[in-house]
């Protein structure tokens, strides 16, 4: 990692400020070849972590910007190495010219996530913190950002460390007694560790329980809008999206396929799926759309059943009611509340029933409250919510191995047999923090990052 890497860390769009980042031993000297401080002194002589004014030059030594630079010597930097940042005006042309000049003067292009990867390899953060960086960048809600920020600071690692240390103490005691029989070491009695193993299994399970909430935080709620044709499904999607995303007509069967849109309702991100009206039809294309609608309902986290309250319940409505009765999260919207209603909440076997009007907006506040209440998790968004599938799989294996160790202990297995499961659990936990993760998996993790982070 001795080479100096460089990249634009603020993207390639026009903006007020654009940042070019360098990291690696000698990066200040590379920076001096294209940046001239106003006082003429080398950048390495500037006060650490203090912005200084100067001129940025291109490969032809032309001044292309007057900007600020900041030098941070390692190990007190993001990567743990010497770093330099140029804070320029946000012209993509200026940033590209500055970056090209750096490449011509000793730096090389950074790969995806290489700055964060160096931070991980230099011990500045564990793998849970490194992976949380990309979640923080991609966060779409304040809750998602707060949870990712907590994981960046090591909240998940702090939950795992005591469990790992307990398992390590168990193994260490056993091997100490086995390897040094003549030393004055307390006898190893596996039963003495039964309570600790059960507590550790419980702690791992409590972490695993947060994963469903974590998936909602990370990707949003998959919400399928269902109903018979012409009840206002597409109008609802357009209302929630804030623009005419879907064609709306009085002709039944206008929507013949699922249409998706991401919207934020209250504090919840919805991955909305507007489905084809569910009904029997001889139209082959519409029938395919109905089939896809049924599949979307089965895979949804939330189903919003739109019913035309101005018309008596039809056979198609009862078909959808039967389908939705098997699902855990259903909200019924009695649409067209601006007209005389003939459908009463008592006519429907659901808890969340809201009079609604896509025409006037009536009921929108009630819908927002119902969604937020339905998907408000119990765990605080402080970094303790598990959002990462790789981490979930590793913790699940650690949990299962710990349960296996407990079972072996209760059945009277020999200590070495029980400790085999304990060591497997430790290995799995090491994959979460990065202590035992394979190099190819590490490389794949950082490929998710953008260049410059």
């Amino acid at each position: 990692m001795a080479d100096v890497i460089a990249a634009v860390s603020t993207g390639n769009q026009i903006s007020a400020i654009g940042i070019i980042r360098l990291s690696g031993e000698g990066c200040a000297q590379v920076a001096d070849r294209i940046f001239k401080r106003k006082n003429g002194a080398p950048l390495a002589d500037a006060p650490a972590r203090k912005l200084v004014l100067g001129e940025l030059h291109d490969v032809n030594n032309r001044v292309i910007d007057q900007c600020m630079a900041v030098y941070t010597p390692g190990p007190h930097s993001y990567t743990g190495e010497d770093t330099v940042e140029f804070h320029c005006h946000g012209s993509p042309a200026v940033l590209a010219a500055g970056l090209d000049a750096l490449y011509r003067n000793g730096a090389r292009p950074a790969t995806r996530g290489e700055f964060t990867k160096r931070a991980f390899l230099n011990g500045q953060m564990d793998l849970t913190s490194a992976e949380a960086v990309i979640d923080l960048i991609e966060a779409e809600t304040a809750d998602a950002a707060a949870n990712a920020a907590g994981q960046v600071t090591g909240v998940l690692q702090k939950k795992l460390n005591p469990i790992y240390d307990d398992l390590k103490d168990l193994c260490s005691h056993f091997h100490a007694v086995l390897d040094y029989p003549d030393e004055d070491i307390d006898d190893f009695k596996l039963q003495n560790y039964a309570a600790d193993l059960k507590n550790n299994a419980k702690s791992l399970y409590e972490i695993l329980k947060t994963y469903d909430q974590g998936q909602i935080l990370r990707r949003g709620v998959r919400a399928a809008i269902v109903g018979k044709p012409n009840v206002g499904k597409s109008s609802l999607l357009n209302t929630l999206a804030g623009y005419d995303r879907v064609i709306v007509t009085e002709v039944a069967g206008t929507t013949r396929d699922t249409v998706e849109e991401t919207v934020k309702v209250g504090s919840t991100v919805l991955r909305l799926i507007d489905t084809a009206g569910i009904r029997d039809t001889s139209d082959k294309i519409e029938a395919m759309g109905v089939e896809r609608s049924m599949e979307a309902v089965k895979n949804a986290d939330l189903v919003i059943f739109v019913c035309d309250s101005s018309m008596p319940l039809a056979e198609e409505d009862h078909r959808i009611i039967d389908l939705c009765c098997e699902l855990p999260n259903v909200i019924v919207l009695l649409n067209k509340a601006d007209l005389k209603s003939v459908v009463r909440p008592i006519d429907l076997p659901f808890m969340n029933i809201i009079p609604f009007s896509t025409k006037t907006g009536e009921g929108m506040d009630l819908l927002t409250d119902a969604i937020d209440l339905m998907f408000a998790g119990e765990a605080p968004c402080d970094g303790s919510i598990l959002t990462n599938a790789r981490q979930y799989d590793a913790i699940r294996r650690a949990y299962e191995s710990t349960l296996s160790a407990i079972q072996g202990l209760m059945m009277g297995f020999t200590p070495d047999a029980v400790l085999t499961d304990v060591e497997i659990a430790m290995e799995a936990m090491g994959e979460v923090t990065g202590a035992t993760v394979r190099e190819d998996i590490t490389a794949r993790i950082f490929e998710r990052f953008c260049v410059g982070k």
Side-chain angles (χ1 to χ4, degrees):
M1 294 190 297
D3 51 337
V4 175
I5 57 174
V8 174
S9 60
T10 48
N12 58 6
Q13 301 298 317
I14 294 175
S15 59
I17 302 295
I19 298 175
I20 301 174
R21 173 182 286 175
L22 299 90
S23 182
E25 184 179 353
C27 65
Q29 288 72 36
V30 172
D32 280 335
R33 294 167 192 162
I34 73 162
F35 177 78
K36 305 304 178 185
R37 287 180 63 188
K38 190 172 183 179
N39 65 4
L43 193 54
D45 292 344
R49 297 177 293 280
K50 298 291 185 180
L51 287 166
V52 295
L53 181 64
E55 294 177 339
L56 190 69
H57 295 72
D58 65 10
V59 293
N60 298 314
N61 204 32
R62 295 179 301 179
V63 175
I64 55 172
D65 196 11
Q66 186 177 67
C67 66
M68 309 293 288
V70 57
Y71 170 61
T72 304
H76 305 296
S77 69
Y78 180 76
T79 62
E81 306 170 333
D82 292 351
T83 63
V84 170
E85 285 186 355
F86 295 123
H87 292 235
C88 310
H89 293 93
S91 160
V94 167
L95 298 175
L99 203 57
D100 184 45
L102 287 171
Y103 295 157
R104 300 285 188 94
N105 284 279
R108 70 161 174 82
T111 58
R112 286 181 174 270
E114 189 169 4
F115 291 96
T116 303
K117 184 177 182 179
R118 289 190 175 198
F120 165 64
L121 295 176
N122 288 327
Q124 298 294 100
M125 59 177 67
D126 77 316
L127 200 54
T128 63
S129 299
E131 287 183 288
V133 171
I134 190 66
D135 289 340
L136 183 56
I137 293 171
E138 295 176 350
E140 296 186 50
T141 65
D143 283 347
N147 192 71
Q151 290 194 355
V152 170
T153 62
V155 169
L156 183 58
Q157 182 189 24
K158 291 172 185 175
K159 283 182 170 289
L160 293 174
N161 281 347
I163 305 171
Y164 187 89
D165 289 343
D166 278 351
L167 299 180
K168 183 173 67 175
D169 288 345
L170 190 162
C171 293
S172 298
H173 187 185
F174 172 73
H175 287 293
V177 171
L178 188 68
D179 296 339
Y180 303 100
D182 298 329
E183 297 293 330
D184 186 18
I185 302 173
D186 292 338
D187 289 342
F188 179 82
K189 296 180 180 179
L190 192 56
Q191 289 295 333
N192 293 343
Y193 290 95
D196 286 342
L197 282 173
K198 290 178 182 178
N199 286 335
N200 290 330
K202 181 180 179 182
S203 296
L204 289 171
Y205 179 69
E206 291 298 320
I207 296 173
L208 290 173
K209 279 200 313 182
T210 68
Y211 184 64
D212 287 343
Q213 183 183 350
Q215 290 306 286
I216 298 298
L217 271 181
R218 185 169 184 172
R219 57 164 169 75
V221 175
R222 293 171 298 194
I225 304 173
V226 299
K228 66 183 182 182
N230 256 23
V231 294
K233 299 185 302 300
S234 296
S235 295
L236 174 63
L237 186 143
N238 289 343
T239 298
L240 295 175
Y243 73 105
D244 291 339
R245 172 65 175 83
V246 185
I247 296 173
V248 177
T249 73
E250 296 179 356
V251 179
T254 302
T255 302
R256 296 189 167 206
D257 198 355
T258 55
V259 179
E260 300 188 15
E261 182 71 15
T262 299
V263 302
K264 187 178 179 184
V265 177
S267 61
T268 306
V269 172
L270 298 184
R271 309 291 185 190
L272 282 177
I273 306 170
D274 180 26
T275 64
I278 295 178
R279 65 171 178 174
D280 292 326
T281 176
S282 59
D283 186 301
K284 183 177 180 180
I285 296 176
E286 187 180 355
M288 292 174 64
V290 171
E291 185 177 340
R292 291 189 180 185
S293 297
M294 302 289 281
E295 191 67 25
V297 169
K298 293 176 183 177
N299 294 326
D301 302 310
L302 168 67
V303 172
I304 302 176
F305 171 29
V306 182
C307 175
D308 183 349
S309 65
S310 68
M311 300 289 290
L313 293 175
E315 181 181 345
E316 292 96 337
D317 291 308
H318 287 291
R319 180 182 176 187
I320 297 167
I321 289 170
D322 291 341
L323 177 64
C324 291
C325 278
E326 304 173 4
L327 305 173
N329 298 314
V330 179
I331 295 176
V332 179
L333 298 185
L334 297 179
N335 194 30
K336 304 185 182 179
D338 50 302
L339 304 177
K340 183 178 179 180
S341 178
V342 298
V343 179
R344 302 167 301 167
I346 198 173
D347 297 329
L348 298 161
F350 300 103
M351 293 290 292
N352 290 297
I353 302 175
I354 301 171
F356 199 87
S357 172
T358 56
K359 184 176 181 179
T360 67
E362 177 185 346
M364 181 60 72
D365 55 342
L366 295 176
L367 175 61
T368 299
D369 291 343
I371 292 172
D372 278 346
L373 184 61
M374 190 174 286
F375 292 97
E378 297 179 1
C381 299
D382 59 358
S384 59
I385 300 174
L386 193 59
T387 60
N388 185 288
R390 186 194 69 83
Q391 294 170 6
Y392 172 81
D393 177 67
I395 295 174
R396 176 191 58 78
R397 287 185 279 114
Y399 170 68
E400 291 175 352
S401 295
T402 305
L403 288 183
S404 183
I406 294 170
Q407 185 179 22
L409 187 153
M410 301 300 292
M411 294 177 66
F413 288 5
T414 58
D416 58 326
V418 173
L419 292 186
T420 297
D421 285 319
V422 172
E423 289 171 351
I424 292 173
M426 293 173 62
E427 179 81 13
M429 291 178 66
E431 291 179 24
V432 179
T433 61
T436 59
V437 72
R438 299 199 317 265
E439 186 175 344
D440 60 326
I441 294 177
T442 303
R444 193 176 308 152
I445 289 169
F446 289 103
E447 285 173 359
R448 291 181 56 213
F449 286 66
C450 56
V451 174
K453 189 59 184 172

